[in-house]
Amino acid sequence: MNTTLKILVADDHKIFAEGLVAVLRIKFPQALFTVVHSGEDAWEHIESNPLLQLVITDISMSGMTGLELATRIKQQHPAIKVLILSMHNERQIVAAAITTEAEGFLLKTSSAQEIANAINDILNDSTHYSREVLQVMLDKIKVEKQSVMQDPLTERELEILKLILEENSNEQMAEKLFISKRTVETHRKHIMEKTGCRNLIALYKFASRNGLIAP
C-alpha cells in the first residue's frame, strides 16, 4: 500500500467511526485516516486536501447529508473515490445513492473484510456494491419500464457489453474475441454513446432493464 494513501471517514456516530478506523488501520497500516462527524467538516477537509483519495461516508448526517456530500464530491472533485456506508437499504435510498455516482455502497452490517475488499476495488478503479444493495437495485429495475433505443446495439456490441459487465479489460476482450484492442475501444465507445451510460453501474442497470443480461 502506498504511504500517500489518504482516507477520510465522515460519520456522526463517533463510536462507529472510531471503531471503523481502528479496524481499517489493521487492514491498511500505511494509510493516513482522518475522521470527521459532519458533512460540512468533511467538505472543509476535502477542499484543503486535494490529494485525498477516498471518502467513506454515512448517509444520515445532520446538516449536509452523505448523499449531498457524495454528489458534491463527484461534481467538483471527481478523482476522489466515494464509498457509502449505511444502515439503510430501502429502494429510494439505494436509488439516490446510485445517482451520486459513488463508487461503492455497503451496509454497516458488512464485515471488516468486505469493507477492506470494497476499498481495494474502488482504489483500483472498480466499483463495489454489496449483494444486498445490488438486489435492491435489481428489484427496482424489474418495475421500471423498458427503455427503447433509437440506435440498437449490434451483435458484436452486445458481446462486448457482456464482457464489460464481467469486468474484462480491453486486452482480455480483444483476446477472447480475436480482434484488436483498438477495435474493442471503438466498440466500447459506441456502446457508451448509444446507451448514454457513464460508468459500470449505469451500464449494468441499462442491460438489466432491457433484458440484455439475466438478473
Side-chain angles (χ1 to χ4, degrees):
M1 180 63 65
N2 194 305
T3 56
T4 61
L5 174 59
K6 295 182 179 180
I7 299 176
L8 173 66
V9 175
D11 197 306
D12 58 0
H13 293 89
K14 296 183 179 180
I15 293 178
F16 176 83
E18 292 169 1
L20 174 63
V21 169
V23 171
L24 292 180
R25 282 198 173 108
I26 298 174
K27 301 289 186 180
F28 303 92
Q30 295 178 325
L32 299 177
F33 291 90
T34 301
V35 179
V36 295
H37 303 297
S38 72
E40 289 80 5
D41 287 345
W43 185 250
E44 182 178 346
H45 181 80
I46 291 165
E47 289 282 78
S48 59
N49 290 273
L51 297 181
L52 188 69
Q53 286 129 304
L54 173 66
V55 174
I56 302 174
T57 181
D58 186 18
I59 287 180
S60 304
M61 294 187 291
S62 59
M64 184 189 299
T65 68
L67 294 180
E68 292 170 335
L69 176 63
T71 299
R72 186 178 292 189
I73 291 170
K74 301 316 295 182
Q75 288 176 346
Q76 300 187 35
H77 300 280
I80 297 177
K81 311 294 186 181
V82 178
L83 171 61
I84 294 174
L85 288 179
S86 178
M87 289 298 299
H88 306 287
N89 66 342
E90 291 84 356
R91 183 180 299 173
Q92 296 85 347
I93 292 177
V94 173
I98 296 300
T99 62
T100 69
E101 299 189 7
E103 283 78 10
F105 189 130
L106 295 179
L107 299 181
K108 285 188 174 181
T109 54
S110 301
S111 67
Q113 187 58 55
E114 181 172 8
I115 295 174
N117 291 342
I119 291 173
N120 281 319
D121 287 344
I122 290 170
L123 292 176
N124 283 293
D125 297 323
S126 186
T127 56
H128 193 112
Y129 283 68
S130 71
R131 183 172 299 177
E132 297 90 345
V133 171
L134 288 173
Q135 186 59 54
V136 173
M137 290 169 56
L138 289 173
D139 291 342
K140 181 178 184 297
I141 289 168
K142 289 177 183 178
V143 300
E144 291 179 348
K145 294 181 179 180
Q146 290 190 351
S147 62
V148 179
M149 294 181 61
Q150 295 181 349
D151 190 5
L153 298 178
T154 65
E155 288 297 319
R156 177 62 85 187
E157 288 168 347
L158 287 172
E159 287 181 307
I160 291 177
L161 170 61
K162 293 176 181 179
L163 291 174
I164 291 173
L165 295 175
E166 293 172 1
E167 299 190 12
N168 287 276
S169 66
N170 289 345
E171 291 82 0
Q172 290 172 323
M173 288 188 280
E175 290 178 2
K176 291 181 179 181
L177 298 176
F178 303 101
I179 57 180
S180 70
K181 178 183 174 183
R182 184 178 295 274
T183 300
V184 170
E185 292 171 347
T186 299
H187 283 307
R188 188 169 193 147
K189 178 182 177 183
H190 290 164
I191 290 169
M192 305 307 272
E193 290 174 347
K194 288 182 178 181
T195 61
C197 296
R198 297 174 57 188
N199 54 48
L200 182 61
I201 291 296
L203 202 59
Y204 181 85
K205 290 173 61 179
F206 174 88
S208 298
R209 184 170 61 246
N210 287 277
L212 301 178
I213 60 172

